[in-house]
């Protein structure tokens, strides 16, 4: 309960970061350049950090509930970063 204001701050930052990714990507009316990709990746990293900080504030039983989600996202991100993600083989990331 005492962590709620801090969690709300991280949540707002994450939502604002997602909105910034959306507006930044929508504003690019040409093929992405390397600089564009780095900018979007930096924005994504900011959002991921805010979400992780919010996750760290959760009580243990809530962390357990979301642990599998974070593990699957991390595995997906690693494959994308390594260039080994193949949607035909790996399928679509399902967050159930």
């Amino acid at each position: 309960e005492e962590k709620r204001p801090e969690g709300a701050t991280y949540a707002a930052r994450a939502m604002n970061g997602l909105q910034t990714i959306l507006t930044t990507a929508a504003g690019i009316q040409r093929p992405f350049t390397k600089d564009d990709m780095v900018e979007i990746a930096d924005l994504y990293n900011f959002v991921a950090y805010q979400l992780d900080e919010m996750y760290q504030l959760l009580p243990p039983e809530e962390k357990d509930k979301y642990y599998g989600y974070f593990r699957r996202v991390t595995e997906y991100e690693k494959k994308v970063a390594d260039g080994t993600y193949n949607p035909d083989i790996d399928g679509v990331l399902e967050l159930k």
Side-chain angles (χ1 to χ4, degrees):
E1 194 66 31
E2 72 278 353
K3 296 178 183 179
R4 185 170 281 185
E6 188 177 3
T9 298
Y10 290 128
R13 287 178 184 163
M15 293 302 295
N16 288 337
L18 291 170
Q19 184 64 38
T20 302
I21 291 171
L22 177 69
T23 57
T24 300
I28 299 171
Q29 300 297 314
R30 56 180 161 55
F32 269 15
T33 65
K34 181 179 177 183
D35 289 341
D36 295 331
M37 289 184 243
V38 169
E39 180 180 12
I40 297 293
D42 286 344
L43 290 167
Y44 179 81
N45 184 57
F46 173 80
V47 170
Y49 177 81
Q50 300 306 312
L51 291 172
D52 184 62
E53 289 297 307
M54 191 171 54
Y55 173 78
Q56 296 305 324
L57 297 174
L58 293 173
E61 63 275 4
E62 292 299 312
K63 280 185 178 180
D64 291 345
K65 185 167 84 174
Y66 292 107
Y67 177 75
Y69 165 78
F70 283 108
R71 186 181 50 74
R72 288 191 305 276
V73 169
T74 301
E75 289 171 1
Y76 166 79
E77 289 173 338
K78 181 171 177 14
K79 283 186 173 188
V80 170
D82 291 345
T84 60
Y85 174 73
N86 181 335
D88 295 330
I89 296 171
D90 298 313
V92 176
L93 179 63
E94 293 186 22
L95 305 174
K96 295 180 183 178

